[in-house]
Amino acid sequence: MVAAPRPGTRVEDYTDRLTVKVEDSGGTTCGPDGTAQFHSGGTAYPVADYAARLIGPDVSDCQHAGPNYVVVSREGPLTSGPEPWAVEIGHLTEPALRGTAPSPSAPGGWSSATPAPPTDTTTHQVLGGTGFNDAAAVGKGVWRDRLTPGATRFYRVPVDWGQRLNLSAELPNSTGSTTTFVPSALGLTVYNPARGAVSQDGFVAFDGKPAAARAFTAPVAYGNRTAPQRAVAAARGAVPAVPPGQQPPTDQQTTRASPRRSAPPGRG
């Protein structure tokens, strides 16, 4: 599910949200639900998450054939804008696993230290997509784009099994003679191919000096599906989205991407 409020729509962080779940005809929830919310200091931008119907010998609910329903609900305080949000709903089916399902990675089984972003001297120009469907393909390296007020850019990064994604979205120095402090200037959200949020930290401030929003994901592993930590359970691939904050006095934005092989437990 993707929700796209119009730029300029008034939203409240955390309390303005959409919840999606899958239910059977009796109202039983068929698996984990999802919640899409904002972390931008009141700026509206596209948000997404997913719900699932789980099938397997260790699952008791919703195992029989029949109709299932996608239930989407919107919550928000009275201080939020009354405008409707455009919502896109899609579905996908994962093929059944052959053999025994791997166990989820143990907490602390990989390094939590964020490595430095790539420092390549070659910068590639890219035009980010306007949504998941036209996300621009990027790979390891340094990529430069331009952001306009209210715009969100989407990029697609291939991440293989066992790899982690190291990302940095950056704003350069201000070129103006004066600079206004912007408390929520730039954000970075990472989604998996099912459009589930893997990383969605708050926005960073901009005071005229270089600023960066960073993300470093858990390793991509099939066993993560049953991990209790949402950020780990969602780690199956990556589509980074760079949403706008309160517009800084610069329209240049640089993204540094580096899929990295996970270090063995105990290292890093």
Side-chain angles (χ1 to χ4, degrees):
M1 172 200 68
V2 182
R6 286 184 175 274
T9 299
R10 182 180 177 85
V11 297
E12 299 287 347
D13 285 2
Y14 305 105
T15 53
D16 256 322
R17 56 178 177 255
L18 282 184
T19 300
V20 59
K21 58 184 177 180
V22 179
E23 295 181 352
D24 65 12
S25 57
T28 299
T29 301
C30 297
D33 57 16
T35 300
Q37 54 192 10
F38 304 91
H39 310 81
S40 57
T43 299
Y45 58 93
V47 292
D49 211 338
Y50 69 94
R53 177 196 178 202
L54 303 179
I55 303 295
D58 56 345
V59 181
S60 57
D61 295 325
C62 305
Q63 299 301 290
H64 301 291
N68 293 290
Y69 302 92
V70 176
V71 180
V72 178
S73 57
R74 174 180 171 182
E75 302 176 58
L78 295 177
T79 53
S80 301
E83 298 87 355
W85 299 353
V87 176
E88 176 185 298
I89 298 176
H91 71 91
L92 60 83
T93 301
E94 282 191 315
L97 178 68
R98 296 181 180 179
T100 304
S103 301
S105 303
W110 59 82
S111 172
S112 60
T114 302
T119 57
D120 308 40
T121 57
T122 301
T123 300
H124 309 280
Q125 198 69 33
V126 65
L127 178 61
T130 58
F132 289 93
N133 294 331
D134 65 348
V138 301
K140 182 176 181 179
V142 182
W143 304 79
R144 179 166 293 172
D145 200 348
R146 288 184 176 272
L147 286 176
T148 56
T152 298
R153 291 284 187 257
F154 287 77
Y155 311 92
R156 187 179 303 276
V157 184
V159 185
D160 206 350
W161 295 109
Q163 287 188 327
R164 308 171 66 181
L165 184 60
N166 179 28
L167 281 172
S168 176
E170 304 168 358
L171 294 174
N173 282 318
S174 172
T175 57
S177 58
T178 60
T179 300
T180 301
F181 176 74
V182 182
S184 298
L186 181 71
L188 174 64
T189 303
V190 182
Y191 295 96
N192 64 22
R195 304 182 182 181
V198 178
S199 172
Q200 49 179 350
D201 295 332
F203 281 43
V204 297
F206 183 77
D207 60 0
K209 300 176 182 179
R214 295 187 171 92
F216 190 39
T217 69
V220 176
Y222 188 93
N224 287 347
R225 285 157 172 73
T226 57
Q229 302 92 345
R230 177 72 175 184
V232 177
R236 312 176 195 178
V239 180
V242 181
Q246 301 152 358
Q247 185 64 16
T250 178
D251 64 352
Q252 295 187 30
Q253 172 254 319
T254 300
T255 300
R256 302 175 188 269
S258 178
R260 304 168 66 94
R261 184 67 59 180
S262 176
R267 292 183 56 189

